[in-house]
Amino acid sequence: MRADRLVSLVLLLRQRGRMTADTLARELDVSTRTVLRDIDALSAAGVPVYAERGRHGGFALLPGFQTALTGLNHDEALALLVAGSRRGAQQFGLGSALASAILKVVDALPEGLRDTAAGAAQRLLIDPETDLLSRRVAADEVPDTIAAEVRRAVFAGHKLRIRYEAVDQPPKWRTVDPIGLVTVREQGYLLAKRGGADRTYRLSRVLAAEALDEPAQRPDTVDLDRAWQERNAQFRTGGDQVAVLVRVEPGRREHLVNTVLAVCAEEADADGWLRLNVIFQDSRHAEWALWQHATHAEVLAPQWLRTSLHDRAAAIATRYGAASAASAAS
């Protein structure tokens, strides 16, 4: 771990020039005292780092201390920098490793290529935290210690013991055969087998993890993309799913479709609205999703869902009625 930090320290000085101990400490997420110890270690190892005194002082490397990476063109270098801007690695506990790797790649590029690629990368933003409606992307938080144990079991091909908290259930210990890791929209998943059956575990719900010495019972090779598609199919056909017949304004179609599990049929009504047969995961999912459309959509069936949405609207109307406003004012 310290060796990686020392390399990162050198690369920061290479790319940014003179930096204070406080700035280096913030960049490396360590204390100022640790930075000073690392500077001493680098000097003792022969790395030409020196201190500049005074108000604008700090630490710097002697000019010319660099390496060169050949064979990369501009677009290849830009692709590497863009890859480093994505947050998917955070789900697997590899965020700091990715940042360190990109730092090394940028430092090793020839100077002209490094400047142009870095400048172009500033013009690209991949997967921002919010969309145009200021809806924040719900990124999962997975402790590094848990992510590291899960990764170790996946890569070593060993069984994994996890303490997992499923929805609306108390946490339980499970021993699984890990297959692979998948990240989707800032959410990480472990694909595994348990008792020979396919299982999918959301990493943010893993409360503890322990890689075991026992070999996992799994194939030597895996097509993760195909495995994920199969899990998707299982998810869409399981649970207490709800079929709904709904009319929706054409301009709201995409918004509606993005919240359903499947669209089974679709046709246009005489008034220009669209009539869709859609599938929701359960009743709560259906009510929540359709409530978002207000008067831009109308549930035709089932009747219990129409009644539920009516009752909710009536409660809102009562809450914001004239009598309620007068009562609040008094």
Side-chain angles (χ1 to χ4, degrees), residues 105-118:
V105 169
V106 172
D107 182 77
L109 292 171
E111 184 173 354
L113 184 58
R114 179 172 65 241
D115 294 340
T116 57

Side-chain angles (χ1 to χ4, degrees), residues 212-291:
L212 306 178
D213 294 332
E214 183 181 353
Q217 301 298 312
R218 68 181 192 181
D220 293 334
T221 60
V222 63
D223 183 343
L224 271 186
D225 184 63
R226 180 177 178 181
W228 180 251
Q229 295 302 324
E230 291 174 350
R231 305 299 172 92
N232 270 334
Q234 293 173 6
F235 177 76
R236 291 174 184 271
T237 57
D240 301 321
Q241 295 182 355
V242 173
V244 176
L245 176 61
V246 58
R247 295 175 72 248
V248 63
E249 291 180 354
R252 302 284 292 188
R253 178 193 180 280
E254 292 304 314
H255 187 193
L256 173 65
V257 168
N258 286 337
T259 63
V260 305
L261 292 182
V263 178
C264 301
E266 179 177 348
E267 62 181 358
D269 270 355
D271 59 0
W273 280 38
L274 301 174
R275 184 178 295 230
L276 289 81
N277 282 293
V278 295
I279 303 295
F280 290 99
Q281 182 62 31
D282 52 33
S283 59
R284 184 170 57 179
H285 176 205
E287 183 176 351
W288 170 84
L290 291 164
W291 177 257

Side-chain angles (χ1 to χ4, degrees), residues 13 30 40 67 81 89 91 100 105 107-108 110 122 129 176 182-183 189 204 217 251 254 261 281-282 303 310-311 325:
L13 295 177
V30 297
D40 290 340
T67 60
L81 297 181
Q91 308 306 318
S100 176
V105 169
D107 182 77
Q122 293 176 358
E129 292 187 359
V176 302
V182 176
T183 179
Y189 297 89
S204 61
Q217 301 298 312
E254 292 304 314
L261 292 182
Q281 182 62 31
D282 52 33
Q303 182 59 45
H310 173 275
D311 292 347

